[in-house]
C-alpha cells in the first residue's frame, strides 16, 4: 500500500514531533512552508504552537490562500491545540487581527484551560481510536464551546477522568466551567484536538488521520 504524503505546516510549533508520529503511523511525512510544497501533499497537519504567531506567519509565507483552497477542495487537515484554533470558524479570547482557516463550524476559546503553569494530563475517550482512553497532554489548551450541526464530537474532558498535574481547580468539580468540555472534533475531512498526541508516543490519532487521508485520496 502506497504511503499517503502528509505535510506538517512548518512555520512554528512542534513540527518535528508530528513528522515523527506521522512517519510511525505509515505516512510519507514532509515539512510544508511554501505553496509548492503544499501542492505535493495529500493531507496537512497544523501543529500546536502559538496561534497568533502562526496566523501572522501564514500570511508572511503566503500560505493562507493556498491552504484555504485545498481545504475547500477536500484536503484532509488535522489541527492540534493551536491547530484547532486555526481551524475554528470563531475564536474567543484571541487577538482582533487573528485569522485562521475557518474550516470547522465551531467556536473555540483560546487558552481556556489556563496558562502554561496550568498544563495537565488526562485520559480522554476518543471515538474511532479504540481503547484504552487516550493519554492527552494539554498545554495552554483551548476548548470547544459550540459546534455546528455537521460537527462530530469525538472526545470530552470529564470530571471523572481528570487528573491534574498542576491544579486547574475548576476541573475538580462537576459543576466547574471546564467540566465536560469538548476537546476533539471532526467535520468531514477536518479533524481537531485541544491536546498534543505527538508528545505521548501513542500513534492512534495519527493513524486515524492517516486513514482519513487514504480514504480521501
Amino acid at each position: 500500500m502506497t504511503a499517503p504524503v502528509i505535510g506538517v505546516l512548518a512555520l512554528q510549533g512542534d513540527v518535528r514531533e508530528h513528522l515523527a508520529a506521522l512517519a510511525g503511523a505509515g505516512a510519507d511525512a514532509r515539512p510544508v512552508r511554501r505553496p509548492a510544497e503544499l501542492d505535493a501533499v495529500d493531507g496537512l497537519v497544523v501543529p500546536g504552537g502559538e496561534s497568533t504567531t502562526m496566523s501572522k506567519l501564514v500570511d508572511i509565507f503566503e500560505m493562507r490562500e493556498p491552504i484555504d483552497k485545498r481545504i475547500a477542495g477536500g484536503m484532509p487537515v488535522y489541527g492540534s491545540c493551536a491547530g484547532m484554533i486555526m481551524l475554528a470558524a470563531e475564536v474567543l479570547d484571541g487577538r482582533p487581527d487573528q485569522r485562521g482557516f475557518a474550516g470547522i463550524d465551531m467556536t473555540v476559546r483560546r487558552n481556556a484551560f489556563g496558562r502554561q503553569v496550568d498544563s495537565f494530563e488526562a485520559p480522554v475517550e476518543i471515538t474511532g481510536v479504540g481503547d484504552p482512553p487516550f493519554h492527552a497532554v494539554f498545554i495552554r489548551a483551548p476548548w470547544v464551546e459550540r459546534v455546528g450541526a455537521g460537527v462530530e464530537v469525538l472526545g470530552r474532558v470529564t470530571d471523572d477522568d481528570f487528573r491534574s498535574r498542576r491544579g486547574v481547580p475548576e476541573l475538580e468539580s462537576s459543576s466547574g466551567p471546564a467540566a465536560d468540555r469538548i476537546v476533539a472534533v471532526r467535520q468531514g475531512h477536518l479533524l481537531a484536538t485541544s491536546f498534543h498526541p505527538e508528545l505521548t508516543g501513542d500513534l492512534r490519532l495519527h493513524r486515524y488521520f492517516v486513514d482519513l487521508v487514504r480514504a480521501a485520496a
Side-chain angles (χ1 to χ4, degrees):
M1 183 182 298
T2 303
V5 180
I6 300 180
V8 178
L9 187 62
L11 304 181
Q12 192 263 343
D14 44 352
V15 175
R16 290 178 299 176
E17 294 86 351
H18 273 294
L19 288 170
L22 287 167
D28 178 353
R30 306 176 183 181
V32 169
R33 296 182 183 87
R34 300 292 185 184
E37 294 168 337
L38 180 69
D39 291 341
V41 304
D42 304 310
L44 183 69
V45 172
V46 182
E50 213 292 313
S51 60
T52 55
T53 301
M54 197 177 297
S55 174
K56 293 176 182 178
L57 290 172
V58 164
D59 289 324
I60 291 170
F61 281 79
E62 299 180 339
M63 290 294 290
R64 183 176 303 282
E65 184 178 357
I67 292 174
D68 284 343
K69 287 183 176 179
R70 289 296 307 275
I71 288 175
M75 177 183 69
V77 179
Y78 167 44
S80 64
C81 197
M84 169 183 265
I85 295 169
M86 292 293 290
L87 286 176
E90 181 182 16
V91 178
L92 305 178
D93 294 338
R95 288 173 57 95
D97 59 346
Q98 183 174 339
R99 291 195 304 135
F101 306 119
I104 298 179
D105 183 12
M106 63 179 175
T107 300
V108 167
R109 185 171 296 278
R110 186 172 171 269
N111 294 342
F113 285 105
R115 300 167 299 166
Q116 190 83 14
V117 295
D118 297 318
S119 300
F120 68 98
E121 301 174 14
V124 178
E125 293 186 4
I126 306 293
T127 301
V129 304
D131 294 327
F134 202 94
H135 185 81
V137 177
F138 296 84
I139 303 172
R140 293 181 62 194
W143 67 43
V144 180
E145 295 205 350
R146 178 200 62 86
V147 294
V151 179
E152 180 185 4
V153 175
L154 300 181
R156 298 174 182 267
V157 166
T158 66
D159 185 60
D160 289 341
D161 288 339
F162 174 69
R163 183 175 72 245
S164 172
R165 180 189 287 174
R166 290 192 181 94
V168 197
E170 62 269 28
L171 276 170
E172 295 171 4
S173 169
S174 60
S175 61
D180 206 35
R181 289 295 184 180
I182 299 167
V183 295
V185 298
R186 176 180 173 182
Q187 183 174 5
H189 58 287
L190 304 178
L191 175 70
T193 64
S194 299
F195 52 87
H196 293 264
E198 74 281 3
L199 300 181
T200 66
D202 187 337
L203 299 180
R204 285 179 292 163
L205 265 167
H206 287 86
R207 291 193 189 104
Y208 181 96
F209 183 63
V210 169
D211 288 344
L212 195 159
V213 174
R214 280 201 182 99

